[in-house]
């Protein structure tokens, strides 16, 4: 940071008289610690909690995959809230349609025993059926 500053933008959304951080918490803390006068931010229009959660999962999964049960719940919540089809959600996230279908099934069709099994071993998502 000392030589280059913050290379990736933080994502924020306006709230009341300020902004809410959607992602970039580590970058924000580092910028504050280094006493940077400003940080690069991208501001998005007011978004729902489900969309915020989905954006956070997408950002975090770029580095490490999100826990599958958490990802599936966020996908279902956002799809329900935004009235998105499986195809549109797959396009939005850049994922295979079959992966989105499996996530939806995990939350909406399978009982907690199956969800716990898949949660313990993410490679078993396709085998949940």
């Amino acid at each position: 940071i000392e030589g280059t500053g913050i290379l990736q933008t933080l994502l924020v959304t306006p709230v009341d008289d300020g902004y809410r951080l959607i992602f970039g918490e580590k970058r924000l803390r580092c910028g504050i610690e280094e006493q940077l006068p400003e940080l690069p931010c991208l501001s998005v229009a007011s978004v729902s909690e489900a969309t915020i959660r989905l954006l956070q999962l997408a950002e975090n999964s770029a580095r490490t995959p999100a826990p599958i049960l958490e990802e599936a719940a966020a996908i279902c919540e956002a799809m329900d809230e935004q009235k998105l089809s499986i195809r549109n959600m797959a396009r939005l996230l850049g994922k295979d349609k079959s992966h989105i279908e499996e996530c939806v099934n995990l939350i909406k069709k399978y009982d907690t025993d199956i969800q716990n099994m898949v949660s313990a071993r993410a490679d078993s998502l396709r085998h949940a059926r």
Side-chain angles (χ1 to χ4, degrees):
I1 289 179
E2 186 176 310
T4 60
I6 304 289
L7 298 177
Q8 277 188 306
T9 61
L10 288 74
L11 187 65
V12 298
T13 188
V15 290
D16 300 326
D17 59 345
Y19 290 91
R20 175 180 175 188
L21 182 67
I22 295 176
F23 61 72
E25 184 178 346
K26 288 181 184 176
R27 288 169 280 206
L28 175 63
R29 279 190 267 137
C30 287
I32 291 169
E33 187 177 301
E34 293 294 322
Q35 299 178 342
L36 296 177
E38 54 185 44
L39 298 170
C41 293
L42 177 62
S43 179
V44 294
S46 185
V47 291
S48 69
E49 286 299 316
T51 303
I52 286 173
R53 188 167 164 219
L54 197 59
L55 288 167
Q56 290 170 336
L57 277 172
E59 166 74 2
N60 290 338
S61 67
R63 289 182 298 283
T64 57
I68 193 64
L69 203 53
E70 188 178 330
E71 178 188 15
I75 286 170
C76 286
E77 186 179 346
M79 284 178 66
D80 290 345
E81 183 182 87
Q82 302 293 321
K83 310 244 184 308
L84 293 171
S85 68
I86 287 173
R87 175 170 283 132
N88 286 339
M89 180 57 80
R91 196 174 299 133
L92 180 69
L93 295 178
K95 300 225 178 208
D96 288 336
K97 183 177 159 254
S98 62
H99 177 77
I100 303 301
E101 285 175 335
E102 289 163 353
C103 286
V104 169
N105 288 338
L106 180 61
I107 297 301
K108 295 190 175 188
K109 291 187 179 178
Y110 304 141
D111 63 26
T112 54
D113 289 339
I114 300 292
Q115 290 176 355
N116 291 335
M117 179 211 51
V118 171
S119 183
R121 279 193 58 186
D123 63 328
S124 61
L125 178 61
R126 286 187 175 249
H127 299 93
R129 267 182 285 144

Coordinates of all heavy atoms in Angstrom, one line a residue, residues 1-66:
I1 N 0.8 -1.2 0.0 CA 0.0 0.0 0.0 C 0.9 1.3 0.0 O 0.5 2.2 -0.6 CB -0.9 0.0 1.2 CG1 -2.0 -1.1 1.0 CG2 -1.6 1.3 1.4 CD1 -3.0 -1.2 2.1
E2 N 2.0 1.2 0.7 CA 2.8 2.4 0.8 C 3.3 2.9 -0.6 O 3.2 4.1 -0.9 CB 4.1 2.0 1.6 CG 4.9 3.2 1.9 CD 6.1 2.9 2.8 OE1 5.8 2.3 3.9 OE2 7.2 3.2 2.5
G3 N 3.6 2.0 -1.5 CA 4.1 2.4 -2.8 C 3.0 2.6 -3.8 O 3.2 3.4 -4.7
T4 N 2.0 1.8 -3.7 CA 1.0 1.8 -4.8 C -0.4 2.3 -4.4 O -1.2 2.7 -5.2 CB 0.8 0.4 -5.3 OG1 0.3 -0.4 -4.2 CG2 2.0 -0.2 -5.9
G5 N -0.6 2.4 -3.1 CA -2.0 2.8 -2.6 C -2.9 1.6 -2.7 O -2.5 0.5 -2.9
I6 N -4.2 1.9 -2.7 CA -5.2 0.8 -2.8 C -5.5 0.6 -4.3 O -5.8 1.5 -5.0 CB -6.5 1.2 -2.1 CG1 -6.3 1.6 -0.7 CG2 -7.6 0.2 -2.3 CD1 -6.0 0.5 0.3
L7 N -5.3 -0.7 -4.7 CA -5.4 -1.0 -6.2 C -6.8 -1.4 -6.6 O -7.2 -1.2 -7.7 CB -4.4 -2.1 -6.5 CG -2.9 -1.8 -6.3 CD1 -2.1 -3.0 -6.7 CD2 -2.5 -0.6 -7.2
Q8 N -7.6 -1.9 -5.6 CA -9.0 -2.3 -5.9 C -9.9 -1.4 -5.2 O -9.7 -1.0 -4.1 CB -9.2 -3.8 -5.5 CG -8.8 -4.8 -6.5 CD -9.3 -6.2 -6.1 OE1 -9.0 -6.6 -4.9 NE2 -9.9 -6.9 -6.9
T9 N -11.0 -1.1 -5.9 CA -12.0 -0.2 -5.3 C -12.8 -0.9 -4.2 O -12.9 -2.1 -4.2 CB -13.0 0.3 -6.3 OG1 -13.7 -0.8 -6.9 CG2 -12.3 1.1 -7.4
L10 N -13.3 -0.1 -3.3 CA -14.2 -0.5 -2.3 C -15.6 -0.3 -2.9 O -15.8 0.5 -3.7 CB -14.1 0.3 -1.0 CG -12.9 0.2 -0.1 CD1 -11.6 0.8 -0.7 CD2 -13.2 0.7 1.2
L11 N -16.6 -1.1 -2.5 CA -17.9 -0.9 -3.0 C -18.8 -0.4 -1.9 O -18.8 -1.0 -0.8 CB -18.5 -2.3 -3.5 CG -19.8 -2.2 -4.2 CD1 -19.7 -1.4 -5.5 CD2 -20.4 -3.6 -4.5
V12 N -19.5 0.7 -2.1 CA -20.3 1.3 -1.1 C -21.7 1.6 -1.7 O -21.9 1.7 -2.9 CB -19.7 2.6 -0.6 CG1 -18.4 2.4 0.1 CG2 -19.5 3.7 -1.7
T13 N -22.6 1.9 -0.8 CA -24.0 2.3 -1.2 C -24.4 3.4 -0.3 O -24.1 3.4 0.9 CB -25.0 1.1 -1.2 OG1 -26.2 1.5 -1.7 CG2 -25.2 0.6 0.2
P14 N -25.1 4.4 -0.8 CA -25.5 5.5 0.0 C -26.6 5.1 1.1 O -27.5 4.4 0.7 CB -26.1 6.6 -0.9 CG -26.1 5.9 -2.3 CD -25.5 4.6 -2.2
V15 N -26.4 5.6 2.3 CA -27.4 5.4 3.3 C -27.5 6.7 4.1 O -26.5 7.3 4.5 CB -27.1 4.3 4.3 CG1 -27.2 2.9 3.6 CG2 -25.7 4.4 4.9
D16 N -28.7 7.2 4.4 CA -28.9 8.4 5.2 C -28.0 9.5 4.7 O -28.0 10.0 3.6 CB -28.8 8.1 6.7 CG -29.8 7.1 7.1 OD1 -30.9 7.1 6.5 OD2 -29.5 6.3 8.0
D17 N -27.1 9.9 5.6 CA -26.1 11.0 5.3 C -24.7 10.5 5.1 O -23.8 11.3 5.2 CB -26.2 12.1 6.4 CG -25.8 11.5 7.8 OD1 -25.8 10.2 7.9 OD2 -25.5 12.3 8.7
G18 N -24.6 9.2 4.8 CA -23.2 8.7 4.5 C -23.3 7.5 3.6 O -24.1 7.5 2.7
Y19 N -22.3 6.6 3.8 CA -22.2 5.4 2.9 C -22.1 4.2 3.7 O -21.5 4.2 4.8 CB -21.0 5.5 2.0 CG -21.2 6.6 0.9 CD1 -20.8 7.9 1.1 CD2 -21.8 6.3 -0.3 CE1 -20.9 8.9 0.2 CE2 -22.0 7.3 -1.3 CZ -21.5 8.6 -1.0 OH -21.7 9.5 -2.0
R20 N -22.6 3.1 3.2 CA -22.4 1.8 3.8 C -21.4 1.0 3.0 O -21.6 0.9 1.8 CB -23.8 1.0 3.9 CG -23.6 -0.4 4.4 CD -24.9 -1.1 4.5 NE -24.7 -2.4 4.9 CZ -25.7 -3.4 4.9 NH1 -26.9 -3.0 4.5 NH2 -25.4 -4.6 5.3
L21 N -20.5 0.4 3.6 CA -19.5 -0.4 3.0 C -20.1 -1.8 2.6 O -20.6 -2.5 3.5 CB -18.2 -0.6 3.9 CG -17.1 -1.4 3.3 CD1 -16.4 -0.7 2.1 CD2 -16.0 -1.7 4.4
I22 N -20.0 -2.2 1.4 CA -20.5 -3.5 1.0 C -19.4 -4.5 1.0 O -19.5 -5.5 1.5 CB -21.2 -3.4 -0.4 CG1 -22.4 -2.5 -0.4 CG2 -21.5 -4.8 -0.9 CD1 -23.1 -2.3 -1.7
F23 N -18.3 -4.1 0.3 CA -17.1 -4.9 0.5 C -15.8 -4.1 0.3 O -15.8 -3.0 -0.2 CB -17.0 -6.1 -0.5 CG -17.1 -5.9 -1.9 CD1 -16.0 -5.4 -2.6 CD2 -18.2 -6.3 -2.7 CE1 -16.0 -5.2 -4.0 CE2 -18.3 -6.1 -4.0 CZ -17.2 -5.6 -4.7
G24 N -14.7 -4.6 0.9 CA -13.5 -3.9 0.9 C -13.0 -3.5 2.3 O -12.3 -2.6 2.5
E25 N -13.5 -4.3 3.3 CA -13.2 -3.9 4.7 C -11.8 -3.9 5.0 O -11.2 -3.0 5.6 CB -14.0 -4.9 5.6 CG -13.8 -4.5 7.1 CD -14.5 -5.4 8.0 OE1 -15.4 -6.2 7.6 OE2 -14.2 -5.4 9.2
K26 N -11.0 -4.9 4.5 CA -9.6 -5.0 4.8 C -8.9 -3.8 4.1 O -8.0 -3.2 4.7 CB -9.0 -6.3 4.3 CG -9.4 -7.5 5.1 CD -8.7 -8.8 4.6 CE -9.2 -9.9 5.4 NZ -8.7 -11.2 4.9
R27 N -9.3 -3.5 2.9 CA -8.7 -2.3 2.2 C -9.0 -1.0 2.9 O -8.1 -0.2 3.1 CB -9.2 -2.3 0.8 CG -8.7 -3.4 -0.1 CD -9.4 -3.4 -1.4 NE -10.7 -4.1 -1.1 CZ -11.4 -4.8 -2.1 NH1 -11.0 -4.7 -3.3 NH2 -12.5 -5.4 -1.7
L28 N -10.2 -0.9 3.5 CA -10.6 0.3 4.2 C -9.7 0.4 5.5 O -9.1 1.4 5.8 CB -12.0 0.2 4.6 CG -12.5 1.4 5.5 CD1 -12.4 2.7 4.8 CD2 -14.0 1.1 5.9
R29 N -9.6 -0.7 6.2 CA -8.7 -0.7 7.4 C -7.3 -0.4 7.1 O -6.7 0.4 7.8 CB -8.8 -2.0 8.2 CG -10.1 -2.1 9.0 CD -10.1 -3.3 9.9 NE -10.8 -4.4 9.2 CZ -10.3 -5.7 9.2 NH1 -9.2 -6.0 9.8 NH2 -11.0 -6.6 8.6
C30 N -6.8 -0.9 6.1 CA -5.4 -0.6 5.7 C -5.2 0.8 5.3 O -4.2 1.5 5.7 CB -4.9 -1.5 4.5 SG -4.7 -3.2 5.0
G31 N -6.2 1.3 4.5 CA -6.1 2.7 4.1 C -6.2 3.7 5.3 O -5.5 4.7 5.4
I32 N -7.0 3.4 6.3 CA -7.1 4.2 7.5 C -5.8 4.1 8.3 O -5.2 5.1 8.8 CB -8.3 3.7 8.4 CG1 -9.6 4.1 7.7 CG2 -8.2 4.3 9.8 CD1 -10.8 3.5 8.3
E33 N -5.3 2.9 8.4 CA -4.0 2.6 9.1 C -2.9 3.4 8.5 O -2.0 4.0 9.2 CB -3.7 1.1 9.2 CG -2.5 0.8 10.0 CD -2.3 -0.7 10.0 OE1 -3.2 -1.4 10.5 OE2 -1.2 -1.2 9.6
E34 N -2.8 3.4 7.2 CA -1.8 4.2 6.4 C -2.1 5.6 6.3 O -1.3 6.4 5.7 CB -1.6 3.5 5.0 CG -1.0 2.1 5.1 CD 0.4 2.1 5.6 OE1 1.2 3.0 5.3 OE2 0.7 1.1 6.3
Q35 N -3.2 6.1 6.8 CA -3.6 7.5 6.8 C -3.7 8.0 5.4 O -3.3 9.2 5.1 CB -2.7 8.3 7.7 CG -2.8 7.9 9.1 CD -1.8 8.7 10.0 OE1 -0.9 9.4 9.5 NE2 -2.1 8.7 11.3
L36 N -4.3 7.2 4.5 CA -4.5 7.7 3.1 C -5.6 8.7 3.1 O -6.6 8.5 3.8 CB -4.8 6.5 2.2 CG -3.8 5.4 2.0 CD1 -4.3 4.3 1.2 CD2 -2.5 6.0 1.4
P37 N -5.4 9.8 2.4 CA -6.4 10.9 2.4 C -7.7 10.5 1.7 O -8.8 11.0 2.0 CB -5.7 12.0 1.7 CG -4.7 11.4 0.8 CD -4.2 10.1 1.6
E38 N -7.7 9.6 0.8 CA -8.9 9.1 0.1 C -8.6 7.7 -0.4 O -7.5 7.2 -0.6 CB -9.3 10.0 -1.0 CG -8.2 10.3 -2.1 CD -8.7 11.3 -3.1 OE1 -9.3 12.3 -2.7 OE2 -8.5 11.0 -4.3
L39 N -9.8 7.0 -0.6 CA -9.7 5.6 -1.1 C -10.6 5.5 -2.3 O -11.7 6.1 -2.3 CB -10.2 4.6 0.0 CG -9.4 4.6 1.3 CD1 -10.1 3.8 2.4 CD2 -8.0 4.0 1.1
P40 N -10.2 4.7 -3.3 CA -11.1 4.5 -4.5 C -12.3 3.7 -4.1 O -12.2 2.6 -3.5 CB -10.2 3.7 -5.4 CG -9.2 3.0 -4.6 CD -9.0 3.9 -3.4
C41 N -13.5 4.3 -4.4 CA -14.8 3.7 -4.1 C -15.6 3.6 -5.3 O -15.6 4.6 -6.1 CB -15.5 4.4 -3.0 SG -14.7 4.3 -1.4
L42 N -16.4 2.6 -5.4 CA -17.5 2.6 -6.4 C -18.8 2.6 -5.7 O -19.0 1.8 -4.8 CB -17.3 1.3 -7.3 CG -18.4 1.0 -8.3 CD1 -18.4 2.1 -9.4 CD2 -18.2 -0.3 -9.0
S43 N -19.6 3.5 -6.0 CA -20.9 3.7 -5.3 C -22.0 3.1 -6.2 O -22.1 3.4 -7.3 CB -21.2 5.1 -5.0 OG -22.4 5.3 -4.3
V44 N -22.8 2.2 -5.6 CA -24.0 1.7 -6.3 C -25.2 2.2 -5.7 O -25.3 2.5 -4.5 CB -24.0 0.1 -6.3 CG1 -22.8 -0.4 -7.1 CG2 -24.0 -0.4 -4.9
A45 N -26.3 2.3 -6.5 CA -27.6 2.8 -6.0 C -28.0 1.9 -4.8 O -27.5 0.8 -4.7 CB -28.6 2.8 -7.1
S46 N -28.9 2.4 -4.1 CA -29.4 1.7 -2.9 C -29.8 0.3 -3.3 O -30.6 0.1 -4.3 CB -30.6 2.4 -2.4 OG -31.1 1.8 -1.2
V47 N -29.3 -0.7 -2.6 CA -29.5 -2.1 -3.0 C -30.1 -2.8 -1.7 O -29.9 -2.4 -0.6 CB -28.3 -2.8 -3.5 CG1 -27.9 -2.3 -4.8 CG2 -27.1 -2.7 -2.5
S48 N -30.8 -3.9 -2.0 CA -31.4 -4.6 -0.9 C -30.4 -5.4 -0.1 O -29.2 -5.7 -0.5 CB -32.4 -5.6 -1.5 OG -31.8 -6.6 -2.2
E49 N -30.8 -5.9 1.1 CA -29.9 -6.7 1.9 C -29.5 -8.0 1.2 O -28.4 -8.4 1.3 CB -30.6 -7.1 3.2 CG -30.7 -5.9 4.2 CD -29.3 -5.4 4.6 OE1 -28.4 -6.2 4.9 OE2 -29.1 -4.2 4.6
A50 N -30.5 -8.6 0.5 CA -30.2 -9.9 -0.3 C -29.1 -9.6 -1.3 O -28.2 -10.4 -1.5 CB -31.4 -10.4 -0.9
T51 N -29.2 -8.5 -2.0 CA -28.3 -8.2 -3.1 C -26.9 -7.9 -2.5 O -25.9 -8.3 -3.0 CB -28.8 -7.0 -3.9 OG1 -30.0 -7.3 -4.5 CG2 -27.8 -6.6 -5.0
I52 N -26.9 -7.2 -1.3 CA -25.6 -6.9 -0.6 C -24.9 -8.2 -0.2 O -23.8 -8.4 -0.5 CB -25.9 -6.0 0.6 CG1 -26.1 -4.6 0.1 CG2 -24.7 -6.0 1.5 CD1 -26.6 -3.6 1.3
R53 N -25.7 -9.1 0.3 CA -25.2 -10.4 0.7 C -24.6 -11.2 -0.5 O -23.5 -11.7 -0.4 CB -26.3 -11.2 1.4 CG -25.8 -12.4 2.0 CD -26.8 -13.0 3.0 NE -26.5 -14.4 3.3 CZ -27.4 -15.4 3.3 NH1 -28.7 -15.1 3.2 NH2 -27.0 -16.6 3.6
L54 N -25.3 -11.1 -1.6 CA -24.8 -11.8 -2.8 C -23.6 -11.1 -3.3 O -22.6 -11.8 -3.7 CB -26.0 -11.7 -3.9 CG -25.8 -12.7 -5.0 CD1 -25.8 -14.1 -4.5 CD2 -27.0 -12.5 -5.9
L55 N -23.5 -9.8 -3.3 CA -22.3 -9.1 -3.8 C -21.1 -9.5 -2.9 O -20.0 -9.7 -3.4 CB -22.5 -7.6 -3.8 CG -23.4 -7.1 -4.9 CD1 -23.8 -5.6 -4.6 CD2 -22.8 -7.2 -6.2
Q56 N -21.3 -9.5 -1.6 CA -20.3 -9.9 -0.7 C -19.8 -11.3 -0.9 O -18.6 -11.6 -0.9 CB -20.7 -9.7 0.8 CG -20.9 -8.3 1.2 CD -21.6 -8.1 2.5 OE1 -22.4 -9.0 3.0 NE2 -21.4 -7.0 3.2
L57 N -20.7 -12.2 -1.1 CA -20.3 -13.6 -1.4 C -19.5 -13.7 -2.7 O -18.5 -14.4 -2.8 CB -21.5 -14.5 -1.5 CG -22.1 -15.0 -0.2 CD1 -23.4 -15.7 -0.5 CD2 -21.1 -16.0 0.4
A58 N -19.9 -13.0 -3.7 CA -19.2 -13.0 -5.0 C -17.8 -12.4 -4.8 O -16.8 -13.0 -5.4 CB -20.0 -12.2 -6.1
E59 N -17.7 -11.3 -4.1 CA -16.3 -10.7 -3.9 C -15.5 -11.7 -3.1 O -14.3 -11.9 -3.4 CB -16.5 -9.4 -3.1 CG -15.2 -8.8 -2.5 CD -14.3 -8.2 -3.5 OE1 -14.6 -8.2 -4.7 OE2 -13.2 -7.8 -3.1
N60 N -16.0 -12.3 -2.0 CA -15.2 -13.2 -1.2 C -14.8 -14.4 -1.9 O -13.7 -15.0 -1.7 CB -15.9 -13.5 0.1 CG -16.0 -12.3 1.0 OD1 -15.2 -11.3 0.9 ND2 -16.9 -12.2 1.9
S61 N -15.7 -15.0 -2.7 CA -15.5 -16.2 -3.4 C -14.4 -16.0 -4.5 O -13.9 -17.0 -5.1 CB -16.8 -16.8 -4.0 OG -17.3 -16.0 -5.0
A62 N -14.1 -14.8 -4.9 CA -13.1 -14.6 -5.9 C -11.7 -15.0 -5.3 O -10.8 -15.4 -6.0 CB -13.0 -13.1 -6.3
R63 N -11.6 -15.0 -4.0 CA -10.4 -15.4 -3.3 C -10.5 -16.8 -2.8 O -9.6 -17.6 -3.0 CB -10.1 -14.4 -2.1 CG -9.6 -13.1 -2.6 CD -9.3 -12.1 -1.4 NE -10.4 -11.8 -0.6 CZ -11.4 -11.0 -0.9 NH1 -11.4 -10.4 -2.0 NH2 -12.4 -10.8 0.0
T64 N -11.6 -17.1 -2.0 CA -11.8 -18.4 -1.5 C -13.3 -18.8 -1.7 O -14.1 -17.9 -1.5 CB -11.4 -18.6 0.0 OG1 -12.2 -17.6 0.7 CG2 -10.0 -18.4 0.2
P65 N -13.6 -20.0 -2.1 CA -15.0 -20.3 -2.3 C -15.8 -20.2 -1.0 O -15.4 -20.5 0.1 CB -14.9 -21.8 -2.7 CG -13.5 -22.1 -3.1 CD -12.7 -21.1 -2.4
A66 N -17.0 -19.6 -1.2 CA -17.9 -19.5 -0.1 C -18.5 -20.8 0.4 O -18.6 -21.8 -0.5 CB -19.1 -18.6 -0.5

